[in-house]
Amino acid sequence: MTRRRTPQEKKHNEYTKDYSTPSSHGFRQSLPREKARANRAYRRQVHQRVDTFEAYQGDTVPERLSSAQVRRKRVQKDYGVAPMGEVIERRLEGRIERIAQTTFFRHEYNSVRDRERFADFLAAQVRGRTETSRNLALYLNKLMYPPPQYENKYLPRFWEKNQQWFRSFFQDEPEWEVRLRTWIASFEQE
């Protein structure tokens, strides 16, 4: 007879041994759509090549117009499975990003609308020392200071927009810049 497991052991087993499959009922509808989209793109490329070949009408067709360059996009049917622990972690990270993006960073910074709300949001987060607040701190750090691979290169548009948003907020509330940096640094040291 097996021994009775504690709730903590059950949860640990669920997070490590149970797996989630991404295919849902909507998969039956989305797969044919993806295949059709790939086929339309392929046909469009072929028709563009044929039109270009007809435009030359001679033996002087450039090599860059070879028909071997047209490839049909491979539609993947199986996305694999993931342990429930990873699935839940991804969902929590996505929730944090959606809260910040949809509530604040979706619009340009407006001092009247955003100043007090964002300060209250940060005050509530700075008080917490949970895993969620740690993830939010690391996410805000990534928004304020882009990863090193983007130094001296073109930044994606959302990073430029978010950096501008933060600069505007910090002009209105300069004490929050220092407070936010120390809060983020406390999580990075752990």
Side-chain angles (χ1 to χ4, degrees):
M1 186 169 167
T2 60
R3 70 176 182 86
R4 186 174 287 179
R5 290 187 173 35
T6 65
Q8 292 82 7
E9 289 175 327
K10 288 180 184 178
K11 185 164 224 165
H12 176 73
N13 286 343
E14 182 181 335
Y15 277 14
T16 56
K17 295 183 179 180
D18 288 354
Y19 286 84
S20 171
T21 58
S23 56
S24 62
H25 294 290
F27 182 72
R28 288 184 298 223
Q29 294 174 348
S30 64
L31 182 65
R33 272 193 228 126
E34 287 298 316
K35 285 183 177 180
R37 187 176 292 127
N39 286 334
R40 278 195 304 271
Y42 174 73
R43 288 193 305 268
R44 188 180 324 112
Q45 287 177 349
V46 168
H47 287 301
Q48 287 172 347
R49 297 292 169 142
V50 168
D51 291 344
T52 308
F53 285 140
E54 288 175 356
Y56 280 101
Q57 293 181 1
D59 298 333
T60 60
V61 178
E63 290 179 15
R64 64 182 173 81
L65 293 177
S66 70
S67 61
Q69 291 176 341
V70 178
R71 294 277 183 245
R72 189 181 310 258
K73 179 187 167 195
R74 184 171 173 225
V75 178
Q76 252 185 316
K77 185 175 181 179
D78 186 22
Y79 299 106
V81 295
M84 283 303 293
E86 289 179 18
V87 171
I88 291 171
E89 186 177 321
R90 259 186 280 145
R91 285 181 187 166
L92 291 175
E93 288 172 3
R95 185 182 304 161
I96 291 168
E97 292 175 14
R98 281 191 303 278
I99 288 171
Q101 287 292 341
T102 58
T103 308
F104 300 109
F105 307 130
R106 179 174 47 180
H107 305 290
E108 293 292 323
Y109 179 77
N110 181 344
S111 181
V112 175
R113 178 189 65 212
D114 297 326
R115 181 180 184 177
E116 192 174 324
R117 287 176 56 216
F118 193 61
D120 291 344
F121 173 73
L122 288 178
Q125 296 304 318
V126 168
R127 276 185 248 125
R129 298 297 297 175
T130 63
E131 187 65 24
T132 305
S133 58
R134 178 185 180 280
N135 290 338
L136 179 67
L138 297 177
Y139 177 69
L140 290 176
N141 186 42
K142 187 171 70 172
L143 290 180
M144 291 190 306
Y145 313 107
Q149 69 256 28
Y150 288 109
E151 282 189 26
N152 302 324
K153 292 182 182 177
Y154 169 74
L155 281 174
R157 207 175 81 220
F158 72 91
W159 262 313
E160 291 175 359
K161 182 179 157 192
N162 290 339
Q163 286 179 328
Q164 179 61 38
W165 203 98
F166 276 110
R167 278 194 293 270
S168 301
F169 175 72
F170 291 146
Q171 284 176 354
D172 289 345
E173 299 277 340
E175 70 277 357
W176 264 110
E177 184 172 9
V178 175
R179 202 169 158 193
L180 195 58
R181 283 186 185 186
T182 56
W183 180 64
I184 289 170
S186 70
F187 282 110
E188 289 177 339
Q189 292 170 358
E190 291 176 359

